[in-house]
Amino acid sequence: MRETAPPERDAADSLDAALALAATLHAPGQRERYRRLLHRAIELAERALAAADQERAGLQDHELAAGGERTLATSMGAHATLARAHAARAEDALHGAGQLSLSAQRAPTREACHDGWRRAEAIAAGAEASARAATISAAELEAGAPRSRAARAARAAAQRAEVAARAARRIIEERNHAYTFHTESGFSFGEGWHVAAAAVLAGVAVQIEPGSAGTPQAEAFLRDAGLSDRLQAYRSRPCAMKQTTEIVARAFEADASSAQRRLRAAFLGEASIQEAVIGWIDRRLAEARAVGSGREKVLLWIREGLHHPHRNTTPAELLELTELVRHTGLVPVLTGDALRDGRVPEGAVDMTLFWKDPTFRQLDMRRAQLQFFEHLRRAHGVVGQLGVTTAGMDGPALLGLPTMYLTDSPNVRMRAWVGAVPGYQEIVRERGYLERVRRVLSGWAAAP
């Protein structure tokens, strides 16, 4: 009959089986198997230690010589396994804390982000506990057999565990709470409004993407908005941009009037609209005077981007929307990206690509572009804006311009503003959506 292996031997076998997986942990299911084997190795080794202590306590004086030697060997074998297993567990915890912290930073909501970091901190605490356990086992081995190979291996393992635990704790301590104000052309220009608004309304930290042509302009805008104390040096692992819309929504839900006043004060400042901005707009509208001077107008946004091209404005829908605007007695003013075919629909004013004019490309470009919308609203009867989902609309929307955005399906991120930011509406392209657009336009046209 086959004899049952002692627990300390089973513990060592489980550890060896776990460590044999080290090169394949990236494969599906392997890391989970690795963790189960480590858990079993530790559990068996602790069981062996408890049994050895119990046996030693029950030995009579005449049994201590032989029995004590046996229990000491069991204890030393268990401690050798524990030191190495806890080192492996601490290193695995470091990996887990790193991965979880990354996913936490990418979470779409602040709650999900904070929850991810709480779990990452618990994992880091687990690494620290394993480091302490490895150190205790290494000390036991050094006390019982200071010159043994097992003692040297245990001390090396304990040192690795301590290094892993410190690195795991450093991940938690170095958490980046800032949101990135992107300045590279590959990122949405309009998302800068989201970040700046979250800083104004909720005091979040902001870091500016460095080294691009738009970096100085972004810094100038944030400082002009009174956010100098919210700026921090650029670091890796910033919070996800997706969280900013929720942050802004909460401020508006708490007090929409106050939130809007604060944003207008920060984004527009107290100075008058620049004469250069006024002159550019007035000249462009004077050229299109035959279209309807003095009549109320609607901004009709065009999106033509490489990111999610399926969201781009289609020529057919642009014509439909243009006709809807005109039939409600309003003048469509095209803005945003260039027309795909270059042909301006009948009855529309072309102000596409306004942001490429030198007037709107100076150091104060961000504020100048908001002044563009503000002057149209104040002096030229712009009563709202309409277009596909694009963050370019969100700056004027936050400052009070009624907004309709079109989307194929409910936009989880932007719907947070619907019902919170005054006049901000989502129009899902489903049966009858154009009739809904028409009703909203008619309401804008009839508004005093």
Side-chain angles (χ1 to χ4, degrees), residues 193-256:
W193 312 134
H194 302 174
V195 176
V200 170
L201 299 176
V204 303
V206 180
Q207 60 180 29
I208 303 173
E209 191 172 38
S212 77
T215 299
Q217 290 90 335
E219 182 172 355
F221 174 68
L222 293 172
R223 293 194 183 281
D224 286 345
L227 296 172
S228 296
D229 63 336
R230 298 286 80 206
L231 298 180
Q232 70 170 40
Y234 187 86
R235 293 196 290 124
S236 62
R237 296 189 178 188
C239 294
M241 293 288 294
K242 292 180 179 180
Q243 300 170 22
T244 56
T245 52
E246 173 205 9
I247 295 169
V248 172
R250 289 189 176 184
F252 271 88
E253 287 167 349
D255 189 336

Side-chain angles (χ1 to χ4, degrees), residues 91-157:
E91 290 169 336
D92 179 65
L94 170 61
H95 171 83
Q99 293 299 107
L100 187 54
S101 68
L102 283 174
S103 63
Q105 288 297 79
R106 300 187 189 110
T109 67
R110 293 185 93 183
E111 282 75 12
C113 180
H114 292 331
D115 180 65
W117 276 100
R118 282 191 291 269
R119 288 186 289 134
E121 185 166 12
I123 292 173
E128 292 166 335
S130 278
R132 289 192 294 271
T135 298
I136 290 170
S137 286
E140 290 289 337
L141 275 168
E142 288 179 327
R147 293 187 177 84
S148 67
R149 180 184 300 176
R152 293 195 299 271
R155 173 48 53 195

Side-chain angles (χ1 to χ4, degrees), residues 282-298:
D282 291 353
R283 284 192 303 273
R284 184 63 67 93
L285 285 173
E287 294 169 1
R289 189 168 297 279
V291 171
S293 177
R295 288 164 54 194
E296 292 174 325
K297 302 170 181 65
V298 167

